[in-house]
Amino acid sequence: MLASRALVRGLQSGFWRRVSTSSAAWVAHTHDVDVVDCSVPQYNNRLDTPLPDVPFVRNLSVEQKKLKENEKGSWTQLTKEEKLALYRLTHELSYAEMRQGSKEWMTVLGGVFIFLGFTGLLVWWQRVYVYGDVPHTLSQESVAQQTQRMIDMRVNPVHGFSNKWDYEKKQWK
Amino acid sequence: MFRAALRLSVSGARSLTRSRPQYTASVAARSYSHGKQETDEEFDARWVTYFNKPDIDAWELRKGMNTLIGYDLVPEPKILEAALRACRRLNDLASAIRILEAVKDKAGPHKEIYPYVLQELRPALNELGIPTPEELDIDKA
């Protein structure tokens, strides 16, 4: 279970490229541990809940604490980077990041096709190496003899099989 | 409520937020369902009063905002201004930016609503020093 989670996380940061997080944010946040305490309010990224119950980063470093102090003063004094840092302290993903998709579907579809192809190989091997010969009654000559007998017997002469055989010209209509 | 403002706006865009019967006068008795139906103005006034509470606390701000976003409408700029000022009283810049993002998301396919809201909020944004998500480059992932 842990190995698969590590694999998914690797794919998320590598190929699927959905979440862009700085390493500092990954380290400082508290929610992505393998044991989550569900008895206390948790952070969540939801489009319908703009203000989550708790901020994303709870254990602030010294500079972050200083930034929080500056937040109490006039916001016009803050630089754009500081404002962005304050936003990222409280929120993991912006709305745009929440809405963006990922390339996960390509992986899923590719995996499905790979396994279907592998199954096809197995089926082919089984057909060639496991199944015995087909009965001799399915050979060309045998089928011709059967068909001739059905015509002679007048099988389904009104609407079906023999109806399609022209008995004068001795050929199919 | 938002439609009332849109009718007067310069952009002249068609009202798109919500198809409801139009009425502007305060209503005493109508036969929709039992009880009095709240007008747009009463709704707006109620929410502005909620956010204007001087000693509003963080929980109330979060609850109010999350509830407001849950409704099937885009909040009026005056409600949003009251909410932004509440963020200022709580020293919470991140929530102020988040509110702007939520409004843009709430407008959905109606792309003219968000610029109108920003236009109405521009004096308050400048006064409080709240950047828009576009200024911080978080509007594109």
Side-chain angles (χ1 to χ4, degrees):
Chain A
M1 196 259 298
L2 293 180
S4 62
R5 280 178 125 230
L7 170 68
V8 166
R9 211 174 299 163
L11 278 169
Q12 276 177 354
S13 59
F15 174 63
W16 291 343
R17 195 73 54 185
R18 196 188 59 205
V19 174
S20 61
T21 54
S22 68
S23 53
W26 267 123
V27 163
H29 70 247
T30 56
H31 79 124
D32 196 5
V33 290
D34 283 336
V35 177
V36 176
D37 186 0
C38 293
S39 62
V40 295
Q42 294 171 41
Y43 176 80
N44 53 28
N45 291 308
R46 289 183 61 105
L47 295 170
D48 61 7
T49 310
L51 306 180
D53 298 327
V54 292
F56 179 56
V57 179
R58 300 245 258 161
N59 315 321
L60 299 173
S61 71
V62 175
E63 316 92 58
Q64 287 166 339
K65 286 200 180 115
K66 204 146 58 77
L67 189 55
K68 278 289 189 188
E69 284 301 313
N70 290 346
E71 196 183 14
K72 296 186 181 157
S74 170
W75 292 340
T76 50
Q77 313 286 352
L78 300 171
T79 68
K80 213 181 261 195
E81 290 75 26
E82 287 175 333
K83 292 179 185 176
L84 185 59
L86 281 169
Y87 180 87
R88 288 290 179 195
L89 280 182
T90 326
H91 302 291
E92 181 192 6
L93 299 176
S94 71
Y95 265 70
E97 284 162 1
M98 278 193 261
R99 280 211 175 265
Q100 79 178 151
S102 72
K103 294 194 187 146
E104 186 179 354
W105 67 273
M106 295 183 196
T107 310
V108 169
L109 209 57
V112 165
F113 288 145
I114 287 171
F115 282 109
L116 281 176
F118 181 65
T119 307
L121 281 176
L122 290 181
V123 168
W124 167 83
W125 179 89
Q126 183 186 40
R127 168 65 185 80
V128 168
Y129 290 102
V130 174
Y131 287 167
D133 281 334
V134 135
H136 72 91
T137 47
L138 291 173
S139 66
Q140 288 270 37
E141 315 87 58
S142 188
V143 167
Q145 286 170 350
Q146 287 165 42
T147 318
Q148 182 59 54
R149 184 169 164 78
M150 282 165 76
I151 291 167
D152 295 341
M153 279 202 291
R154 308 274 203 269
V155 165
N156 289 339
V158 181
H159 287 300
F161 188 79
S162 300
N163 176 42
K164 300 201 166 49
W165 177 260
D166 190 340
Y167 282 93
E168 276 89 44
K169 302 203 192 107
K170 299 246 187 308
Q171 66 187 24
W172 291 109
K173 289 186 187 164
Chain B
M1 52 132 114
F2 176 77
R3 295 180 97 212
L6 196 50
R7 254 182 280 128
L8 306 168
S9 78
V10 183
S11 65
R14 270 169 297 147
S15 301
L16 298 160
T17 45
R18 198 175 168 193
S19 50
R20 251 177 48 177
Q22 297 251 20
Y23 52 91
T24 47
S26 75
V27 191
R30 293 263 177 133
S31 40
Y32 306 118
S33 51
H34 96 91
K36 205 171 81 148
Q37 195 85 343
E38 188 180 52
T39 64
D40 287 350
E41 290 75 19
E42 286 167 357
F43 177 90
D44 294 347
R46 193 161 54 84
W47 275 101
V48 167
T49 315
Y50 179 92
F51 284 118
N52 275 344
K53 191 167 104 133
D55 54 347
I56 193 173
D57 67 30
W59 185 94
E60 284 173 355
L61 171 68
R62 288 198 306 269
K63 172 70 179 168
M65 213 50 233
N66 292 338
T67 310
L68 192 58
I69 293 295
Y71 294 147
D72 181 21
L73 46 84
V74 179
E76 279 277 335
K78 57 175 175 293
I79 305 178
L80 297 169
E81 181 174 342
L84 293 177
R85 291 192 187 279
C87 290
R88 172 67 269 190
R89 289 197 293 283
L90 290 164
N91 299 323
D92 193 350
L93 176 61
S95 294
I97 305 169
R98 191 69 154 186
I99 288 171
L100 294 176
E101 275 192 295
V103 165
K104 176 171 187 191
D105 191 70
K106 204 61 198 163
H110 305 298
K111 299 257 184 285
E112 69 282 353
I113 296 182
Y114 181 62
Y116 164 75
V117 165
L118 281 189
Q119 171 198 317
E120 294 294 310
L121 287 178
R122 189 40 69 186
L125 294 178
N126 292 342
E127 176 198 332
L128 300 172
I130 300 174
T132 65
E134 290 72 30
E135 286 165 19
L136 295 179
D137 292 324
I138 50 179
D139 59 323
K140 310 259 177 293

